[in-house]
Amino acid sequence: MAKIIVVTSGKGGVGKTTTSAAFASALALKGHKTVVIDFDVGLRNLDLVMGCERRVVYDFVNLIQGESTLGQTLIKDKKLDNLYVLPASQTRDKDALSHEGVEKVLNELSESFDYIVCDSPAGIEHGAQMALYFAEEAIIVTNPEVSSVRDSDRIIGILQSKSRLAEQGKAVKEHLLLTRYNPERVERGEMLSVQDVEEILAIPLLGVIPESEAVLKASNQGVPVVHDSESDAGQAYDDAVSRYLGEDRPHRFLEKQKKSFLKRVFGG
Amino acid sequence: MSLMDIFRKEQKSSASVAKERLRVLVAHDRLRHNGPDYLPQLERDILEVIRKYVEIGEDDVSVQLDNQGQTSILELNVTLPDRKD
C-alpha cells in the first residue's frame, strides 16, 4: 500500500511543483518506489520541472477515461529507476478529474508504489480539492509572506473538513514547509520568521528551504534541485525528506551565513 | 549608531506588522469558514440592534468563537464611541 502525500498551498507560485519534484526525487533517491502526479489539468508544468516534457504521450485524463493503460502513461524518470511521473493533460479542463476516476488510478498505483506524491494546482477549486481529497499526509508549502500564509491557513481548513480522512472523522497529517526563506531579511525585520509562521499556522514544521539561485537553475535544466547536492536548497530538501522519513536532522539555513575572510576579500 | 537610527528604531519592523495583521486576519477567516453559518448574520443583527441606540461603525463589533474542550465560547466586543460629556 502506498502512502498518498499532497503538496499544496492555496496560493500560486510558492514552490509546489518545485517541492513535488524535489520531494519525489529525494524519496526515490532514498530507495522508495515513488510516483509523482500532476493534478494541474490545463496548465501542466511538472513534466518540465522533472525534465520529461518531450516524452509525454498519454496523460492523467487519458488514463482516467480508459484511453491508455498505466504502463503507457507513466513516464520513467531519466535519472532514477524507481521514480515515475504521471503528467497532467494540457488540453482538457479541470472537471475531467472525477472522484471515481482519480480513486481508481490511485488504487492501481497503490499496488506497486511506496509513495504517491500529488502536485496540487493553485487555488481551492475542483483541481486542488481533487489533489487533496485522498491524501493521508499533506505538505503545506508556504512563503514567509502575508498572502501565502493566509492562503495556507485556508487550505489547512479545507484539508480538515473536505478530505476523505476528515469525512471519516480522521485527520490528514500536516507538515509545514517554508520556502524562499531569506535569513538576512528576517534578521533585518523585513520578513516573517519561521517562528512567526509556525505560530500562526500551528502545524508542525517539516523544513525550511532558503531562497536559492539553485532552484531556478534546476528548473531551467529540468533536473529536480535535490540532484544538486552542493546547493543549499538541494540540501534543505534532502533534510526535509529525511526528517519526513523519521530521521532526526537539525534545521539548517535559518541563520545569516557569515562570510569567510577570503569571501569578504575576493567576493562571492 | 547615528541619530537617524534612533528615530528608525521607533518604527515597528514590517515583519511584526505583517505578523500582527495575519494574526487578526487568520482568526477572522477561520471563524468565517469553520464557524456556524449563522455567525455573519448574527454579527449584522447585533450591529443593527446596537445602532438603534448608539451610532457605531461596521468594524466596531467583533464576534469571536473559541472552542475550549467541550464548550464553545461566543465572545462579543463592541467599541462604543467616545462620550461627549
Side-chain angles (χ1 to χ4, degrees), chain A residues 150 153-154 189 196 199-200, chain B residues 13 15 19 23 29-30 33:
Chain A
R150 181 195 202 181
D153 191 70
R154 184 83 174 88
D196 292 341
E199 202 180 300
I200 289 163
Chain B
S13 75
K19 188 181 176 187
R23 217 202 296 269
D29 282 353
R30 280 179 193 164
H33 295 296

Side-chain angles (χ1 to χ4, degrees), chain A residues 22-23 26 177-178 206-212 225-226 228-243 249-253:
Chain A
F23 213 84
L177 189 77
L178 200 56
L206 180 65
V208 178
I209 312 299
E211 168 95 80
S212 167
V225 72
V226 279
D228 186 355
S229 53
E230 298 286 300
S231 69
D232 47 0
Q235 291 174 19
Y237 272 115
D238 183 69
D239 282 357
V241 174
S242 299
R243 241 175 254 131
R249 292 222 185 162
H251 289 279
R252 295 190 278 170
F253 316 109

